[in-house]
Amino acid sequence: MKSRVHVIAPYATMLPVVKECSALFPELIVNTSVGSLEDGVNIAIKEECNTDIFISRGTTARLIKEAVKKPVIDMHISGYDLMRSLSLASNITTKTALIGMRSITHVAKAIIDLMDIPIAIYTVEHLEEIPTLVLELKNKGFKQIIGDVIITHISETYGLKGFLIQSCKETILQALERAKQANEYKNNIDVPSKIFEQIVQKKYKNIVVLNKENHIIYEHISKLNFTGEIKDHLYILNTDMNELKPRASKLIVVDNDLIEIKGYFVSEFGYKLFILKKYDQLINQSGLTVQTHPLHIPVIKESTSIQHVYKQVELLFKHREPILLIGQQGTGKDFISTYIHEKHEEGLLVTINFKLFNIDQLKIFPLQHVRTIKFQHCEAIGEQQKEVLSSFVQQCLEKNIHIFVLCEESQQVDSFEWLKCNKIQLPTLSERKEDIVPLIHYFLSQFHEKYGTTPVKIKNKSLSLLEETNYPLNIDDLHAIMKQIVLNEKDYIIQHETVENILKQRNQTLKPISFKGTLKEIEKEIIELVLKEENFNQSKTAERLGINRATLWRKLKNEVH
């Protein structure tokens, strides 16, 4: 009789490898799902009746063992898994640490010593040590943390880059082999008292209880969607509570709703109780977004030109002066403003797009909890509406709220004089050549994590070629090129031929403007270039060129005739 095996993968890119390996085990009926931590537990509970053996990894596997009465096999991280991940992580020239249990770190140390990789190692014995350790590493200047799902989740919640250790084919094969031989069930976790449950549900609409090991043992949510993002914030708040500090609270924004989390330490039982409350329609308007996810992108600023920009922005931000960031598409205006906010403020970051936002709403705009506001497309504001924005900006400055204005078109700069902002021009990628190689290494690692792509290295010859390439869309264009390269490369090392082929395919788009010929001919070349970049969308092309669609249509018609 075939055994029913359910593989609960901690990340999606593991599924194709599981499917490939499953074909080698005809005696197993293998089903798959994606879910890490509590999401994985929920899948296991739902599928327990239809499953003989569960397979998962790391902390998720341990949590599932506590929640079900079926055998659970842990796909242990192998030395080869560590070697691949450490090699990829070392491509990014940023301060990096690996956190793990002793079974992981002692193998990682041998690999790091052998390969001479500049990565620090930290061993933890219990899960509750992780948040404190991550915070200490952040204060020491670390930017990237390597580890399993819970470690990368905690790292990213604290604003660091989490680098997940992925499992290779051999590791999954070993787990399936163990699944054939599994013959025992394990029992664990107790169900909370029904009496306690009835009392809680009558008094509270949204409540979560953690036990002494900081595992969720009870939740009753009826007035909001208990997402992974809310859980992450709950776990952070959990680290702030103990017998000496039995209460803590936190405000977060999810889907434009303000959610308050209040935590209570129940010393008699060693449990922690959390009450969640949603405040409806904090900021729920067209053209308005609230930053809810911390940046996980490394700050790459090897070039002196971008270093000068960061220094200027940071100085003005600290003095709470309004800042006008000017730069071409893809030069990093949105990233820099978000990064500076996250570095210096803990309140809300709000972005207002005046192409969609009704400016009259500024008169009743709720500024409570807001610390930074970004304005986009101020050129869409009419003359009669400028007074409304000026008054709002003054109100924000009086409340010590930071102001950013983002501008793409250089010809629009003069129209912003009335805002009285400090102007900072962002360099193009061609003006910050020193940053291209670090960006390439970051994109290489990013695509491997996101898509499970094969290559982990790129040759110096290819790096030089990419350094000399013209990028009309700056960082965005380099990102698109690297995506095509890694998706088309089948080897572990990116071959030079692959880079050449991708660049050749994009040659027309990447061809620089010659500036030869008459003004009309140069204008034609610019229009054709922007049309191609916008996939021949005339509305977007007209917007990029700062003209209306009728003018663009007339110019295109004249070219035809």
Side-chain angles (χ1 to χ4, degrees):
M1 185 176 178
K2 293 185 177 182
S3 295
R4 298 168 299 174
V5 176
H6 198 119
V7 180
I8 301 177
Y11 50 90
T13 52
M14 181 185 285
L15 296 185
V17 187
V18 173
K19 183 178 180 180
E20 180 183 352
C21 295
S22 299
L24 303 176
F25 294 85
E27 61 275 20
L28 302 179
I29 300 173
V30 181
N31 296 310
T32 59
S33 300
V34 179
S36 62
L37 304 179
E38 294 302 324
D39 291 335
V41 171
N42 292 334
I43 293 171
I45 293 173
K46 181 180 178 181
E47 298 296 331
E48 185 173 9
C49 293
N50 304 315
T51 304
D52 299 312
I53 302 167
F54 287 103
I55 296 178
S56 193
R57 195 183 83 163
T59 305
T60 302
R62 186 180 63 76
L63 292 176
I64 293 173
K65 287 180 183 179
E66 297 174 349
V68 302
K69 297 180 179 180
K70 298 291 179 71
V72 181
I73 293 174
D74 188 352
M75 290 182 287
H76 296 293
I77 295 173
S78 68
Y80 184 65
D81 297 335
L82 284 169
M83 186 176 296
R84 283 173 55 85
S85 298
L86 290 170
S87 178
L88 277 166
S90 65
N91 286 334
I92 303 175
T93 56
T94 189
K95 198 170 181 181
T96 300
L98 181 145
I99 299 176
M101 299 296 179
R102 195 168 303 278
S103 60
I104 299 297
T105 57
H106 86 277
V107 178
K109 184 179 187 305
I111 295 171
I112 288 172
D113 291 343
L114 182 64
M115 298 177 66
D116 193 24
I117 301 175
I119 294 177
I121 298 178
Y122 293 87
T123 302
V124 293
E125 300 294 339
H126 305 285
L127 293 178
E128 50 265 31
E129 298 173 34
I130 297 172
T132 303
L133 176 57
V134 170
L135 185 58
E136 289 176 359
L137 293 178
K138 180 178 180 180
N139 293 335
K140 290 180 180 179
F142 283 86
K143 303 296 182 182
Q144 179 177 233
I145 303 296
I146 306 170
D148 63 11
V149 171
I150 191 168
I151 289 169
T152 54
H153 276 205
I154 293 173
S155 300
E156 291 174 351
T157 304
Y158 276 98
L160 299 178
K161 171 71 173 65
F163 194 101
L164 178 65
I165 300 172
Q166 300 198 23
S167 297
C168 66
K169 181 178 179 180
E170 289 73 15
T171 301
I172 296 169
L173 284 171
Q174 290 176 7
L176 290 171
E177 182 64 34
R178 291 169 60 196
K180 288 198 311 181
Q181 305 168 5
N183 57 12
E184 294 183 335
Y185 295 153
K186 298 183 73 176
N187 298 310
N188 212 314
I189 205 164
D190 292 328
V191 179
S193 162
K194 290 294 181 181
I195 297 176
F196 173 73
E197 182 177 1
Q198 291 177 5
I199 295 173
V200 166
Q201 290 188 4
K202 286 181 180 179
K203 189 169 184 179
Y204 302 107
K205 301 301 180 184
N206 305 293
I207 183 171
V208 178
V209 179
L210 272 63
N211 64 10
K212 294 179 181 179
E213 288 73 38
N214 295 324
H215 302 147
I216 294 179
I217 61 168
Y218 180 82
E219 66 177 74
H220 171 65
I221 304 294
S222 62
K223 293 295 183 180
L224 55 84
N225 184 16
F226 194 34
T227 63
E229 181 181 353
I230 296 176
K231 292 178 183 178
D232 289 339
H233 286 285
L234 185 146
Y235 279 117
I236 292 176
L237 188 63
N238 173 53
T239 62
D240 293 336
M241 297 164 54
N242 51 49
E243 291 185 359
L244 298 178
K245 187 182 177 184
R247 295 188 179 187
S249 62
K250 186 178 183 69
L251 284 169
I252 62 173
V253 175
V254 178
D255 296 331
N256 286 336
D257 289 318
L258 182 65
I259 297 175
E260 182 182 38
I261 305 176
K262 290 185 177 181
Y264 304 88
F265 181 72
V266 185
S267 58
E268 291 84 356
F269 304 99
Y271 285 6
K272 293 175 182 176
L273 183 149
F274 296 90
I275 309 298
L276 295 84
K277 182 178 180 180
K278 182 177 76 171
Y279 295 89
D280 296 328
Q281 295 184 337
L282 166 71
I283 304 171
N284 188 18
Q285 302 173 48
S286 176
L288 190 148
T289 57
V290 180
Q291 181 78 15
T292 57
H293 301 284
L295 289 173
H296 302 313
I297 304 173
V299 180
I300 295 173
K301 47 178 180 178
E302 300 294 323
S303 64
T304 55
S305 59
I306 199 67
Q307 287 174 10
H308 181 63
V309 166
Y310 274 93
K311 190 176 295 185
Q312 283 182 302
V313 174
E314 197 153 9
L315 179 64
L316 292 169
F317 190 88
K318 288 180 178 179
H319 285 81
R320 304 185 185 279
E321 295 191 25
I323 302 169
L324 172 61
L325 294 181
I326 308 162
Q328 296 178 11
Q329 179 183 349
T331 47
K333 299 180 295 295
D334 191 61
F335 173 83
I336 291 174
S337 51
T338 301
Y339 166 76
I340 295 297
H341 164 82
E342 289 190 355
K343 184 177 180 181
H344 297 285
E345 288 289 356
E346 295 184 354
L348 301 183
L349 168 60
V350 176
T351 300
I352 299 177
N353 179 352
F354 284 110
K355 280 190 174 181
L356 304 172
F357 183 78
N358 180 0
I359 193 170
D360 290 332
Q361 293 295 317
L362 292 180
K363 299 174 182 177
I364 56 172
F365 191 89
L367 290 174
Q368 187 180 13
H369 309 303
V370 176
R371 300 310 309 140
T372 303
I373 299 180
K374 286 195 278 190
F375 297 133
Q376 294 177 333
H377 297 294
C378 288
E379 71 278 2
I381 298 175
E383 287 295 328
Q384 296 179 348
Q385 298 171 319
K386 288 182 178 180
E387 183 59 36
V388 176
L389 180 57
S390 294
S391 176
F392 179 73
V393 169
Q394 185 59 38
Q395 181 185 359
C396 291
L397 295 177
E398 290 173 358
K399 294 180 178 291
N400 291 324
I401 296 173
H402 305 278
I403 298 293
F404 282 102
V405 179
L406 310 186
C407 172
E408 283 190 7
E409 303 295 340
S410 58
Q411 62 265 35
Q412 297 173 358
V413 176
D414 292 341
S415 64
F416 295 149
E417 292 289 347
W418 56 279
L419 280 175
K420 299 178 181 179
C421 294
N422 299 275
K423 302 175 187 176
I424 296 180
Q425 180 75 47
L426 272 65
T428 63
L429 194 54
S430 61
E431 296 170 325
R432 44 183 294 200
K433 292 281 189 180
E434 300 93 331
D435 297 318
I436 293 178
V437 171
L439 284 167
I440 290 171
H441 285 314
Y442 166 67
F443 293 147
L444 180 62
S445 173
Q446 180 193 46
F447 292 133
H448 176 79
E449 283 192 86
K450 186 174 183 179
Y451 303 113
T453 49
T454 302
V456 297
K457 290 284 185 182
I458 183 168
K459 294 180 178 180
N460 290 335
K461 182 179 179 182
S462 299
L463 286 174
S464 299
L465 177 59
L466 288 166
E467 278 186 294
E468 297 306 316
T469 299
N470 182 41
Y471 299 100
L473 295 182
N474 296 294
I475 298 174
D476 292 351
D477 196 55
L478 177 60
H479 182 273
I481 290 173
M482 284 303 301
K483 182 177 181 180
Q484 291 303 310
I485 289 173
V486 298
L487 290 175
N488 283 276
E489 182 56 72
K490 299 179 180 179
D491 203 341
Y492 288 116
I493 299 177
I494 294 175
Q495 301 301 305
H496 192 65
E497 294 76 12
T498 305
V499 177
E500 288 182 320
N501 289 337
I502 297 301
L503 290 179
K504 185 177 180 181
Q505 293 172 15
R506 296 178 60 87
N507 184 53
Q508 288 186 340
T509 302
L510 296 175
K511 185 178 67 176
I513 299 170
S514 64
F515 293 104
K516 294 181 180 180
T518 65
L519 179 61
K520 186 176 182 180
E521 290 170 338
I522 295 173
E523 183 183 69
K524 175 186 175 183
E525 194 174 354
I526 293 172
I527 292 174
E528 289 177 348
L529 177 62
V530 177
L531 267 172
K532 290 175 183 177
E533 292 174 2
E534 297 295 346
N535 295 318
F536 297 93
N537 184 310
Q538 293 190 13
S539 296
K540 291 183 178 180
T541 300
E543 180 183 337
R544 283 272 307 278
L545 294 171
I547 59 179
N548 58 47
R549 189 173 177 181
T551 302
L552 176 64
W553 180 84
R554 187 171 61 254
K555 290 180 179 292
L556 292 172
K557 182 180 178 182
N558 291 338
E559 293 300 335
V560 173
H561 294 293

